Amino acid sequence: MSSQAYQPLEAGAIRSILKSVPAVAALLGSDEAEYKIREVGDGNLNLVYIVETSSGGVVVKQALPYVRLVGDSWPLPLNRSYFEYVALTTQAGYVPGLVPKIFHFDRDLALIVMEYLNPHIVLRKGLIKGTLYPRAPIDIAEFLAQTLFNTSVLGTTAVAHKGLVELFAANTALCRITEDLVFTDPYREASLNRWTRPYLDDMKRAFESDSRLKFAAQQKKWEFMTRAEALIHGDLHTGSVMVTANDTRVIDPEFAFVGPMGFDVGAIIANYLLAFFSNVGQHPIGHSESAFETSLLDHVVTLWNTFERRFLELWGASSQGEA
């Protein structure tokens, strides 16, 4: 299939593609008329479909040539789907039970067919509902330790590490989003900035005029852009984790590149802290922490301590690295 074949797919084309993939046909059955397709994408970038029959289901994810939330005025390269596929397959080599299984990838269509995680829920949505998932911080820590260690020069050869750097160096458009939206725009006047007007106007102005804060943010941006330490997920927040009480999967690594290990670790911890503060902020002043909020802080401690312990265990047992 040539690169000219790309087009956003509709139900009929999806059925035809899935039927032609042996692993998917074996899961869903060969009668494509029975394939029930629904579009569920609630993110900013991609089309996402769930395809089900009575015997099983898959997720079909297709990149669009622009930011879905904005439209044609914000173009994005389709090759981000390739980086997501390579990241998922690389991660699966170290933590196969913590990422979705991949059934099919079509580079020309920017299309990934993967495991339908059911009855999983997005971790962020579960936390908003006040549900705790004690297994999740342990599993996330294992994902971080394994993927970060084994793709760094501590856990692999310099040649393999440089190969990852070279491959993912082309994921510039997604990196630019992080560079702008995380490290630059929050500290200045920017069209996409949002805050609760007029109640936070003073805080917003103080934030933008805090030169020490802006300098610290630019230091971190420099590290993000220059420290090629390991293959990082690049967008590891609670919306990129799906959970049940006993199972955790990390999804959506299309922002992946070889960068600073601390970015992934800090991002997921920050999201747990956001969940904590969003709950605290709904209480009257002086109200004591709830059991749920205390547990969220305990999860942060568990995540960090488990990550540190497992990373050091992997390092101590390794004879592969060249550092």
Side-chain angles (χ1 to χ4, degrees):
M1 188 177 297
S2 72
S3 59
Q4 299 299 315
Y6 175 83
Q7 60 180 335
L9 296 179
E10 298 181 351
I14 291 172
R15 288 188 175 95
S16 179
I17 291 171
L18 295 181
K19 184 180 178 181
S20 69
V21 179
V24 175
L27 178 64
L28 300 181
S30 58
D31 186 358
E32 63 183 80
E34 294 187 359
Y35 293 6
K36 297 178 181 178
I37 302 177
R38 53 194 170 99
E39 212 279 314
V40 297
D42 60 358
N44 296 330
L45 303 182
N46 308 292
L47 293 172
V48 182
Y49 298 90
I50 293 175
V51 184
E52 293 182 275
T53 66
S54 59
S55 58
V58 297
V59 168
V60 178
K61 181 175 181 179
Q62 186 182 33
L64 291 168
Y66 49 79
V67 176
R68 180 179 182 177
L69 185 67
V70 177
D72 294 344
S73 62
W74 190 340
L76 279 181
L78 294 172
N79 65 358
R80 67 183 190 275
S81 179
Y82 173 68
F83 297 121
E84 178 173 7
Y85 166 72
V86 176
L88 282 169
T89 53
T90 302
Q91 293 160 356
Y94 304 115
V95 283
L98 296 178
V99 293
K101 180 180 179 181
I102 303 298
F103 294 112
H104 178 66
F105 174 65
D106 187 312
R107 188 167 186 175
D108 292 333
L109 287 174
L111 182 80
I112 305 175
V113 182
M114 66 187 82
E115 179 182 6
Y116 174 32
L117 300 174
N118 184 36
H120 296 65
I121 184 174
V122 174
L123 176 58
R124 178 175 295 159
K125 293 181 178 179
L127 295 178
I128 289 172
K129 292 179 179 179
T131 305
L132 290 169
Y133 299 91
R135 183 75 210 173
I138 298 171
D139 288 339
I140 294 169
E142 181 70 13
F143 170 87
L144 288 167
Q146 292 280 2
T147 58
L148 296 177
F149 175 79
N150 284 296
T151 60
S152 75
V153 291
L154 299 176
T156 190
T157 65
V159 171
H161 180 261
K162 286 180 170 60
L164 286 174
V165 173
E166 179 182 21
L167 192 159
F168 282 93
N171 199 13
T172 54
L174 277 294
C175 288
R176 178 63 183 271
I177 290 175
T178 303
E179 291 156 13
D180 289 345
L181 299 189
V182 174
F183 294 106
T184 304
D185 288 354
Y187 311 97
R188 65 179 183 180
E189 288 278 356
S191 60
L192 294 179
N193 288 349
R194 299 289 184 271
W195 65 95
T196 305
R197 303 169 186 259
Y199 308 103
L200 298 182
D201 285 355
D202 290 344
M203 184 178 294
K204 178 254 188 187
R205 285 191 288 269
F207 199 74
E208 292 176 348
S209 62
D210 188 333
S211 58
R212 293 180 62 188
L213 175 65
K214 294 166 76 170
F215 180 73
Q218 292 308 293
Q219 283 185 309
K220 292 304 176 185
K221 182 177 180 179
W222 172 264
E223 294 174 12
F224 181 81
M225 297 177 69
T226 61
R227 288 174 55 177
E229 295 176 348
L231 178 61
I232 69 172
H233 180 284
D235 196 31
L236 188 54
H237 49 70
T238 50
S240 297
V241 181
M242 298 193 70
V243 293
T244 66
N246 301 307
D247 190 61
T248 309
R249 306 295 183 94
V250 178
I251 63 172
D252 292 347
E254 61 192 320
F255 283 75
F257 79 110
V258 180
M261 298 184 198
F263 186 78
D264 277 356
V265 182
I268 191 62
I269 287 177
N271 267 247
Y272 268 104
L273 293 176
L274 283 171
F276 168 80
F277 286 113
S278 69
N279 274 270
V280 171
Q282 298 177 51
H283 297 320
I285 294 175
H287 190 279
S288 59
E289 290 177 9
S290 67
F292 175 74
E293 291 154 4
T294 300
S295 294
L296 284 175
L297 295 180
D298 290 340
H299 286 192
V300 170
V301 174
T302 297
L303 196 160
W304 171 257
N305 287 342
T306 305
F307 166 73
E308 181 185 38
R309 175 177 57 81
R310 289 294 294 127
F311 191 97
L312 292 175
E313 287 174 353
L314 292 167
W315 193 357
S318 175
S319 59
Q320 299 293 322
E322 297 189 1

